[in-house]
Amino acid sequence: MSQAMGELTDTQFMRYSSHVLLEDMGEAGQLKLMSSSVLIIGVGGLGHAVAHQLAAAGVKRISLMDDDCVELSNLPRQLLFNDDDIGEPKVDIAAKKLANAYPDCEITALRQRFVSDEQALFNTVDVVFDCTDNFSSRLVINKSAVCRKTALISAAISGSNGQLFCLDFSQNEMRQANHLSPINQSVADDKDSIELIDKQLKATSGCYQCLYPDDSQVNQSCSQVGVLTSALLSIASMQALLGVNWLKGNPSQRQEIQGKLHLFNAQNLQWRQVAMSQDPNCCICATN
């Protein structure tokens, strides 16, 4: 989990100067990234790009989980790999290349498929990134994130249709326990703050299970129906961006970005955003 840091060294300041110059990031935001820990499940088209961008951004600890090996058909859309990597475990190759490029980042390779028995890992990280390409894995990861009250950032793309969302189950727990929005108590008597609290109390975000119950018919994965590399990397970049915004944000900023489903059409380059409302009968988040 994240730990407080002091200040950037001169070398770090130069390396991350483009971040530090941003008003909403600054040195404090960069230090948050550099003390953060994430788990990325799935190191394929989405996962390899998310891992690369987070390592480059300065995230301190990245755990990569996948049990697949590199195949020839992966190479056009998984740009971290090349012909020499074919047949090798994706997590091992990705961890080695990222560690060489970003020596300050601690990369852990977990050569396995995620199962519910592994959900204790969620308590060792700040955010879990679901970059898997199948429906059953997403349901298991979602359930584990709800049970462990861990922030989850999930993305998927099939053909021309992509989706992306961030859910912070620790925030839901805080609001339910305290009946108060996660904003500074010192402004709780402010009228605007009280209105924000009331609004948030009335709108508990749902989860992946709310969107797609067990009997849902979902699109096939990109390996089955195809995808343009540019479209896939667009979704991966937005997933990484959501992660950076969450890691550097304060509780109220995190609340602003969670609970929204972002839908992308790669043919017309259009984004849509809808609220992820909770299904009151959801067998996962309505009972946890």
Side-chain angles (χ1 to χ4, degrees):
M1 301 289 285
S2 60
Q3 298 178 345
M5 293 181 64
E7 59 183 21
L8 297 175
T9 66
D10 291 344
T11 300
Q12 290 169 338
F13 192 93
M14 290 297 296
R15 177 184 288 270
Y16 302 112
S17 59
S18 62
H19 286 181
V20 176
L21 290 171
L22 293 170
E23 184 177 347
D24 63 344
M25 170 73 84
E27 184 174 11
Q30 185 60 45
L31 287 169
K32 283 185 178 181
L33 294 184
M34 295 172 61
S35 63
S36 298
S37 178
V38 305
L39 170 63
I40 299 174
I41 306 176
V43 189
L46 293 172
H48 91 284
V50 170
H52 199 161
Q53 293 185 49
L54 293 181
V59 172
K60 180 62 176 177
R61 288 172 294 274
I62 300 177
S63 296
L64 305 175
M65 179 179 288
D66 201 315
D67 65 346
D68 284 344
C69 293
V70 180
E71 299 178 3
L72 178 61
S73 61
N74 298 151
L75 302 186
R77 64 183 186 278
Q78 299 177 25
L79 307 185
L80 197 59
F81 309 125
N82 57 42
D83 290 272
D84 293 336
D85 302 324
I86 293 174
E88 298 296 324
K90 290 182 178 180
V91 290
D92 292 347
I93 297 298
K96 180 179 179 180
K97 292 184 177 183
L98 291 176
N100 287 338
Y102 309 102
D104 290 338
C105 184
E106 301 170 12
I107 311 288
T108 301
L110 303 171
R111 197 189 309 172
Q112 62 192 77
R113 182 177 293 271
F114 181 81
V115 293
S116 57
D117 293 343
E118 303 292 339
Q119 65 177 245
L121 283 170
F122 285 27
N123 292 130
T124 67
V125 299
D126 299 300
V127 184
V128 173
F129 290 83
D130 180 359
C131 301
T132 58
D133 62 356
N134 66 86
F135 178 59
S136 58
S137 292
R138 293 179 195 133
L139 287 176
V140 174
I141 293 168
N142 173 79
K143 181 178 180 180
S144 298
V146 173
C147 291
R148 293 288 176 170
K149 309 301 181 187
T150 304
L152 172 66
I153 298 178
S154 178
I157 186 167
S158 177
S160 299
N161 299 305
Q163 68 176 36
L164 171 73
F165 61 81
C166 171
L167 296 174
D168 187 354
F169 300 107
S170 65
Q171 297 278 308
N172 285 346
E173 181 184 41
M174 185 186 304
R175 293 198 305 278
Q176 292 166 1
N178 299 327
H179 302 292
L180 187 64
S181 162
I183 61 176
N184 195 309
Q185 291 277 352
S186 65
V187 298
D189 58 349
D190 177 78
K191 180 179 179 181
D192 292 338
S193 298
I194 293 173
E195 291 178 354
L196 175 62
I197 292 169
D198 290 340
K199 183 184 298 185
Q200 292 178 342
L201 283 172
K202 294 175 183 177
T204 299
S205 298
C207 69
Y208 189 79
Q209 185 88 32
C210 296
L211 283 177
Y212 301 106
D214 292 328
D215 58 353
S216 299
Q217 298 293 321
V218 298
N219 291 336
Q220 295 173 303
S221 67
C222 61
S223 62
Q224 296 171 303
V225 301
V227 67
L228 288 174
T229 299
S230 304
L232 183 147
L233 293 179
S234 295
I235 294 293
S237 293
M238 293 298 289
Q239 188 177 15
L241 179 59
L242 260 182
V244 168
N245 285 341
W246 192 94
L247 289 168
K248 72 178 179 64
N250 59 41
S252 61
Q253 290 170 334
R254 291 174 177 179
Q255 178 60 27
E256 282 298 311
I257 65 175
Q258 76 98 30
K260 299 169 184 175
L261 177 64
H262 306 271
L263 301 171
F264 178 60
N265 185 313
Q267 289 186 325
N268 58 24
L269 305 184
Q270 295 295 310
W271 284 91
R272 289 193 299 126
Q273 177 181 296
V274 295
M276 294 182 65
S277 301
Q278 185 182 60
D279 178 355
N281 297 316
C282 178
C283 61
I284 303 300
C285 68
T287 58
N288 282 279

